[in-house]
Amino acid sequence: MTHTIEQYIAECGDHVLHAFSALPRPSKKLEDWKFFTHTEWFESKWNISTVYEVTPDFIHSQLQGIDYDSLVVFHNGEFLMQYSKISDFLKISNQEYKPIFESKSLTQLDIVHTANAKHGVNIRIANSEQLNHIVLLSVVSGSHTLCTASHTIHVEADTQCTITEIIVSEANATESLMLSGTQLICNAGSVCEYTSIQKLHKTSSIVQNIAVMQLQQTTATVHAYPLSGAYNRTNMSAYKQGTQAHTNVYGILFPCTDEHIELYTNIYHNVPECETNEQIKGLGKDNGQGVFSGLIYVAKDAQKTRAAQSNKNILLSPTAKIHSKPQLEIYADDVSCNHGSTTGQINREALWYMQARGIDLHKATELLLEGFINDVLETMSNEQVQAYILSHIDTKIAEI
């Protein structure tokens, strides 16, 4: 049985429908949603639950070349214990998904995402003697599937870990829509590196919300790599709630053909003596469209804040577009904050120089573009995940 989004919400109860009706629908009238038309999502009929099954072979094929200590598998938002590998340092329980902070710009999509919050999964990562790698694999399958996934991850005090979340779709997942939410709570003294990889069917779409809460003396590094999909949007927010909380944000946007990829980041400095380093690179070709919007907010009492934000983009065709909107909102006076954004074409002089030394145009272009993105990719500590991402980006580069 298929439903429109509103029919699905109505079945969730009057209180959910009331909350849904009170919020705006994403449209070009809203500043943060103006680059894409979402009307079709609300008019379409969706399969809310599907009879499709994911196979072990497909799961293994998506993880080739990546080693892990723990694996947590989801299919259309549902946790699959039988395909997961849970180590002793990891505890998983079913717990209703509750946003750690109320967003200032909620839309009806947020209600759709949390309507099925009772299926949320709570993950606790305990301290252990070694640096552990946890992989979260979410698989989407079925034509016209609407699915939601909700995770809250607690990194316990003084714990060090790396987390890689991979969201993929099967070949049959045409015109699907995934609404995903991941909350990362970094307790005092913890160090966490979180990577989000999204690799969906060319006709499918995803909106992923990533929220990070940092307590005192924590380091959180977030990598965002939306590799493919018709519409691919990541909303990433970090909330510094303890002093000496350090946040690093890295990402690459590479929309090709008719892909539309958006990355919105909001970093909130609410307490003193915190630091942010943000570096986003963008490539665009064909009719691809990219959007980067980054806000660094510094509260009145957040003295001795240090923050830097950089966004650099290269357009590889006259029809490609990348919109950049870096923002600083500062209410403290003892701070060091800067941001910058550039968008241009590939360096023609460098291409000529390389061709003059016997390198053909196509190879020279590949080398320059790989060099452009490498300083972002090299910030990733896990070389296997880095190679996984680079192989998919290289495929797009090779088609230039």
Side-chain angles (χ1 to χ4, degrees):
M1 186 176 181
T2 60
H3 298 75
T4 65
I5 285 178
E6 195 155 357
Q7 288 171 339
Y8 165 63
I9 289 297
E11 291 189 356
C12 293
D14 290 341
H15 65 292
V16 179
L17 181 60
H18 176 75
F20 177 84
S21 302
L23 291 174
R25 181 166 296 181
S27 72
K28 293 190 174 183
K29 294 180 180 179
L30 300 180
E31 177 66 22
D32 287 348
W33 297 88
K34 66 181 182 181
F35 294 107
F36 186 80
T37 301
H38 303 78
T39 305
E40 186 178 341
W41 291 2
F42 292 86
E43 296 175 348
S44 296
K45 294 275 191 174
W46 298 99
N47 293 306
I48 305 300
S49 59
T50 70
V51 296
Y52 296 97
E53 293 185 2
V54 64
T55 64
D57 288 343
F58 181 80
I59 292 172
H60 294 150
S61 70
Q62 300 305 307
L63 299 173
Q64 287 184 353
I66 299 178
D67 295 328
Y68 52 81
D69 300 292
S70 281
L71 173 65
V72 187
V73 179
F74 302 88
H75 179 224
N76 288 347
E78 297 290 335
F79 170 52
L80 300 182
M81 182 64 191
Q82 65 270 32
Y83 295 133
S84 301
K85 173 190 173 183
I86 311 300
S87 300
D88 292 341
F89 63 85
L90 206 66
K91 302 297 181 185
I92 297 181
S93 60
N94 292 103
Q95 183 171 322
E96 184 172 351
Y97 179 89
K98 295 180 180 179
I100 54 178
F101 282 97
E102 189 76 12
S103 171
K104 297 178 181 178
S105 55
L106 291 174
T107 70
Q108 290 182 342
L109 288 178
D110 293 283
I111 301 301
V112 179
H113 170 235
T114 56
N116 215 13
K118 63 183 179 181
H119 294 299
V121 172
N122 197 59
I123 302 173
R124 289 194 173 273
I125 305 173
N127 197 358
S128 64
E129 295 180 356
Q130 62 182 21
L131 177 64
N132 292 298
H133 184 207
I134 301 102
V135 173
L136 278 60
L137 177 66
S138 291
V139 180
V140 182
S141 66
S143 177
H144 287 87
T145 298
L146 171 63
C147 62
T148 62
S150 305
H151 321 303
T152 299
I153 304 172
H154 299 261
V155 183
E156 294 189 357
D158 301 316
T159 298
Q160 295 189 41
C161 64
T162 59
I163 303 168
T164 303
E165 182 167 10
I166 304 174
I167 301 174
V168 299
S169 61
E170 294 191 276
N172 63 17
T174 56
E175 300 182 0
S176 63
L177 172 60
M178 183 172 195
L179 305 176
S180 174
T182 301
Q183 299 185 141
L184 184 64
I185 300 174
C186 300
N187 287 288
S190 62
V191 177
C192 180
E193 182 177 12
Y194 166 84
T195 301
S196 171
I197 302 170
Q198 303 151 357
K199 186 163 63 76
L200 296 184
H201 189 276
K202 64 182 179 180
T203 64
S204 296
S205 300
I206 181 172
V207 177
Q208 183 180 26
N209 295 320
I210 302 169
V212 182
M213 183 174 73
Q214 294 181 250
L215 300 183
Q216 64 271 22
Q217 296 181 332
T218 55
T219 299
T221 301
V222 177
H223 303 272
Y225 293 97
L227 298 177
S228 60
Y231 177 81
N232 195 318
R233 175 175 174 134
T234 302
N235 302 314
M236 182 268 162
S237 299
Y239 304 88
K240 298 169 187 289
Q241 300 300 106
T243 58
Q244 299 180 38
H246 302 286
T247 310
N248 303 303
V249 182
Y250 303 101
I252 295 175
L253 312 179
F254 194 175
C256 300
T257 317
D258 295 312
E259 291 177 333
H260 188 113
I261 298 177
E262 300 187 358
L263 174 60
Y264 284 73
T265 66
N266 296 279
I267 314 297
Y268 297 98
H269 289 256
N270 298 314
V271 293
E273 299 179 17
C274 293
E275 183 176 351
T276 293
N277 175 44
E278 186 170 8
Q279 189 175 3
I280 308 298
K281 294 287 185 76
L283 297 171
K285 75 181 187 77
D286 306 323
N287 293 318
Q289 184 168 193
V291 178
F292 168 70
S293 177
L295 168 67
I296 293 178
Y297 172 90
V298 183
K300 182 178 179 181
D301 295 330
Q303 304 293 348
K304 301 189 183 302
T305 288
R306 291 184 296 172
Q309 181 189 83
S310 172
N311 174 223
K312 296 179 181 179
N313 308 298
I314 294 178
L315 300 179
L316 302 170
S317 67
T319 53
K321 296 179 181 178
I322 297 183
H323 307 273
S324 181
K325 186 182 177 182
Q327 305 163 75
L328 296 177
E329 190 174 338
I330 302 172
Y331 298 97
D333 50 18
D334 185 6
V335 302
S336 174
C337 298
N338 63 78
H339 63 180
S341 175
T342 61
T343 300
Q345 298 177 332
I346 197 166
N347 190 325
R348 298 296 172 184
E349 290 185 4
L351 283 177
W352 177 88
Y353 180 87
M354 295 171 75
Q355 288 179 273
R357 278 147 183 81
I359 303 174
D360 67 72
L361 177 60
H362 190 271
K363 185 62 177 178
T365 301
E366 285 186 358
L367 291 172
L368 282 177
L369 294 181
E370 287 181 359
F372 175 71
I373 63 174
N374 269 347
D375 58 343
V376 171
L377 278 172
E378 288 174 354
T379 61
M380 189 175 299
S381 64
N382 190 304
E383 294 182 357
Q384 293 177 338
V385 177
Q386 183 185 130
Y388 180 94
I389 295 167
L390 184 59
S391 68
H392 291 284
I393 294 178
D394 277 345
T395 300
K396 287 188 171 183
I397 292 176
E399 295 172 352
I400 295 173

